[in-house]
């Protein structure tokens, strides 16, 4: 749903920018094609990006136009003119670190060869004018029409990742405790998808923060963005520990049925916390954590008290309980008083 709305709004804004740019160019009596090209590539996910890249694309387009005029003057409309104009533009933009404007500058340079026949200097300044129109119109449209606002998407994405992590946590432990011979490859793929979703959400936060200099309501919510970043960090660490659980050898686990049931009960409570954030109970969470911690220390004592030679690797039970305790700690930090509940109240 997020991807559709994001793509759809950019399509609408691009269409509006093209129409306005072409209309203004026609009003001046200038060919709109170069302005339209500039307008298309200037619609960015954030207004800040549009402005920053626009400041790069303008001098890059000027360089491309200048090379086109120069080589047309020398060789006329010939194959070598297209080649030299494109190559010279690419080299100059690369040398001057105008990478964001390289594509539009090269397209402008090559396209000008076909349409310029006389009045080369006048044509050069007209191209600068049309490029300026495309940059200004597309930036204004990006700022005023469907202004970028990723706040709701960030909060929803964090909640969705949390819910999916809870479901996976419960499924993983059910497999570990009661179905040790199961294939965990599908679970590993789910972890990878969680990582991808976290990366996407981090990008949304970056987009939202970029707008802080332009929109006061974004600046006023800086604390909320910091909270979202903190939650994503906890979720990323949780994903790391889930992945570690999937790599523990399961065939040597010697827990009793009662111990397995106790662990599963704690995992269900933890998964429920992740899936239903508004019902998080810190005291209940700590009570479940104490049960797991007590079991962890009992298992540790049994290992150290054993007459057998101490193993070179931790027993799987030790590793699994350690990961579960760590996840409990991460979830407790995730549901800090300034965390999800505060975010929900701010909506």
């Amino acid at each position: 749903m997020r991807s559709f709305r994001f793509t759809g709004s950019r399509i609408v804004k691009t269409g509006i920018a093209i129409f306005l740019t072409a209309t203004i160019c026609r009003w001046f009596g200038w060919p709109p094609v170069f302005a339209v090209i500039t307008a298309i590539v200037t619609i960015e996910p954030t207004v800040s990006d549009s402005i920053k890249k626009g400041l790069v694309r303008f001098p890059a387009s000027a360089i491309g136009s200048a090379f086109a005029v120069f080589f047309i003057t020398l060789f006329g409309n010939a194959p070598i003119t297209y080649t030299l104009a494109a190559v010279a533009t690419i080299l100059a933009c690369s040398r001057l670190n105008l990478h964001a404007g390289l594509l539009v500058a090269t397209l402008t340079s090559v396209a000008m060869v076909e349409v310029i026949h006389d009045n080369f200097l006048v044509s050069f300044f007209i191209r600068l004018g049309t490029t300026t129109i495309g940059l200004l119109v597309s930036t204004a449209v990006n700022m005023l029409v469907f202004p970028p606002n990723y706040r709701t998407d960030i909060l929803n994405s964090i909640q969705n990742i949390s819910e999916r992590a809870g479901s996976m946590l419960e499924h993983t432990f059910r497999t570990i405790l009661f179905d040790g011979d199961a294939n965990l490859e599908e679970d590993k793929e789910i972890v990878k998808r969680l990582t991808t979703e976290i990366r996407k959400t981090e990008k949304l936060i970056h987009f939202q923060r970029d707008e802080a200099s332009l929109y006061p309501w974004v600046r006023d919510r800086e604390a909320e963005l910091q909270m979202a970043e903190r939650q994503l960090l906890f979720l990323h660490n949780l994903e790391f520990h889930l992945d570690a659980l999937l790599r523990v050898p399961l065939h040597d686990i010697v827990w009793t049925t009662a111990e397995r049931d106790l662990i599963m009960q704690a995992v269900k409570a933890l998964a429920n916390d992740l899936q239903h954030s508004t019902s998080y109970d810190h005291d209940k969470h700590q009570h479940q954590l104490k049960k797991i911690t007590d079991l962890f220390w009992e298992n540790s004592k049994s290992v150290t008290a054993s007459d057998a030679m101490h193993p070179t690797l931790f027993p799987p039970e030790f590793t699994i309980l350690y990961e579960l305790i760590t996840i409990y700690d991460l979830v407790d930090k995730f549901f800090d008083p300034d965390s999800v509940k505060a975010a929900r109240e701010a909506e």
Side-chain angles (χ1 to χ4, degrees):
M1 185 65 181
R2 164 70 205 151
S3 176
F4 173 78
R5 290 201 293 112
F6 178 56
T7 305
S9 64
R10 287 189 68 181
I11 291 173
V12 172
K13 289 193 287 189
T14 301
I16 294 173
I18 291 172
F19 175 78
L20 293 177
T21 299
T23 300
I24 294 172
C25 287
R26 290 293 187 187
W27 185 73
F28 280 109
W30 294 344
V33 61
F34 301 102
V36 167
I37 292 173
T38 304
I40 291 172
V41 300
T42 306
I43 296 290
E44 298 287 343
T46 66
V47 178
S48 176
D49 278 348
S50 291
I51 295 173
K52 291 176 183 177
K53 293 184 179 180
L55 294 175
V56 174
R57 285 166 179 151
F58 179 80
S61 297
I63 290 171
S65 300
F67 278 126
V69 170
F70 176 71
F71 288 114
I72 290 172
T73 303
L74 294 179
F75 305 108
N77 189 341
I80 191 64
T81 305
Y82 292 94
T83 305
L84 292 176
V87 171
T89 300
I90 293 171
L91 290 175
C93 290
S94 299
R95 187 75 173 177
L96 296 172
N97 291 322
L98 301 175
H99 302 291
L102 195 151
L103 176 60
V104 67
T106 306
L107 291 174
T108 298
S109 179
V110 172
M112 282 184 67
V113 176
E114 183 66 29
V115 299
I116 295 180
H117 305 290
D118 53 18
N119 298 322
F120 296 152
L121 187 60
V122 173
S123 297
F124 170 73
F125 284 109
I126 287 177
R127 296 303 165 261
L128 293 185
T130 56
T131 298
T132 302
I133 291 172
L135 289 173
L136 293 177
V137 169
S138 59
T139 301
V141 168
N142 205 17
M143 180 179 292
L144 301 174
V145 180
F146 302 130
N149 182 2
Y150 303 99
R151 175 179 174 272
T152 301
D153 298 299
I154 291 169
L155 294 177
N156 289 338
S157 180
I158 290 174
Q159 184 60 32
N160 289 336
I161 293 170
S162 174
E163 292 173 0
R164 291 172 61 183
S167 299
M168 184 186 170
L169 178 68
E170 183 174 354
H171 179 267
T172 299
F173 267 91
R174 190 175 298 281
T175 302
I176 290 173
L177 297 173
F178 304 109
D179 191 12
D181 296 328
N183 189 340
L184 296 176
E185 290 303 316
E186 182 178 348
D187 298 72
K188 293 178 182 178
E189 287 299 317
I190 295 176
V191 170
K192 290 180 181 178
R193 288 199 289 271
L194 280 177
T195 303
T196 301
E197 288 300 315
I198 290 172
R199 294 285 180 265
K200 289 180 179 178
T201 309
E202 288 174 342
K203 185 176 291 187
L204 291 179
I205 292 175
H206 172 72
F207 287 162
Q208 187 77 348
R209 180 165 280 119
D210 276 352
E211 305 298 80
S213 61
L214 300 171
Y215 299 102
W217 57 266
V218 177
R219 290 196 298 272
D220 294 341
R221 294 187 179 276
E222 175 61 25
E224 189 176 282
L225 288 177
Q226 292 177 356
M227 173 209 70
E229 287 180 322
R230 189 167 63 250
Q231 286 188 311
L232 275 183
L233 176 61
F234 294 146
L235 287 173
H236 182 66
N237 289 334
L238 189 150
E239 166 264 321
F240 171 80
H241 289 287
L242 282 174
D243 186 63
L245 280 170
L246 296 175
R247 303 179 188 282
V248 175
L250 307 179
H251 54 276
D252 294 328
I253 294 177
V254 294
W255 279 318
T256 64
T257 301
E259 289 173 329
R260 293 171 191 256
D261 289 340
L262 184 150
I263 294 170
M264 196 65 221
Q265 181 182 1
V267 170
K268 284 182 178 179
L270 192 59
N272 184 70
D273 288 338
L274 287 168
Q275 293 168 336
H276 306 92
S277 60
T278 54
S279 61
Y280 175 72
D281 187 329
H282 176 75
D283 294 335
K284 181 180 177 182
H285 181 89
Q286 292 299 314
H287 178 69
Q288 292 289 350
L289 176 59
K290 187 178 186 308
K291 291 182 180 179
I292 297 301
T293 305
D294 290 343
L295 180 61
F296 173 82
W297 289 119
E298 288 176 10
N299 279 223
S300 300
K301 290 177 183 177
S302 65
V303 171
T304 57
S306 175
D307 293 332
M309 184 181 295
H310 289 177
T312 56
L313 298 175
F314 288 129
E317 297 90 346
F318 189 95
T319 304
I320 292 169
L321 288 175
Y322 168 79
E323 295 293 349
L324 181 56
I325 290 171
T326 304
I327 291 172
Y328 253 94
D329 182 60
L330 288 171
V331 171
D332 190 50
K333 291 177 179 177
F334 179 85
F335 290 112
D336 183 85
D338 295 327
S339 186
V340 170
K341 290 183 179 179
R344 291 300 180 189
E345 292 172 359
E347 289 186 26

